[in-house]
Amino acid sequence: MKGMSRKKKRGAEDADEQPEGNHPFGALDGLGKLPSGPEAAPPIAPVKTSKRGQKNTNRGRVDIVRQKAGRGGKAVTIVKNFKGIGLPEKQELAKKMRKACGVGGTMKDGCIEIQGDKRDEVKRILEEAGFNPVFSGG
């Protein structure tokens, strides 16, 4: 095993070999008594500002209905009676509902239709969006 060398382990012996001038905190010893850090300030209460830019948490009531009539015995969850909401936002909500429920769905006559009895999942999504969902009908 000639020619191969082993690396030295750095330990307590190497710490003694370091010159005094290279110690990074050596200069702090000569400063004497230093003041402590900043005092903990009391927490500042958040200032109420306008609601512009924040999500509306009270967007009105929407009805969630389960229908089976005229659908060959298959249940469909219908969300209707949206007030003050545009078509693009309804389509975005429908997309979220379809994805969360793992089923198909569509928009018909301003209502969102989701395949299957998915009322609980639809209610959770509508509450997150700031609506007040209510189960109504069959």
Side-chain angles (χ1 to χ4, degrees), residues 51-100:
K51 289 189 176 186
R52 180 170 284 179
Q54 296 178 358
K55 270 193 171 180
N56 189 355
T57 56
N58 186 15
R59 301 181 71 184
R61 171 186 164 150
V62 293
D63 296 330
I64 301 174
V65 182
R66 183 184 55 111
Q67 274 188 357
K68 286 174 73 174
R71 301 183 187 276
K74 308 272 179 154
V76 175
T77 303
I78 299 176
V79 184
K80 58 185 181 178
N81 294 336
F82 287 99
K83 302 274 192 250
I85 179 174
L87 183 64
E89 192 173 355
K90 282 183 195 175
Q91 289 174 338
E92 188 65 33
L93 274 173
K95 187 175 182 179
K96 279 184 187 177
M97 290 176 194
R98 288 193 308 257
K99 190 170 184 176

Side-chain angles (χ1 to χ4, degrees), residues 3 7 22 42-43 45 58 78-79 81 88 90 100 103 111 120-122 138:
K7 291 183 180 180
N22 272 349
N58 186 15
I78 299 176
V79 184
N81 294 336
K90 282 183 195 175
V103 296
C111 300
D120 295 326
E121 292 94 334
V122 168

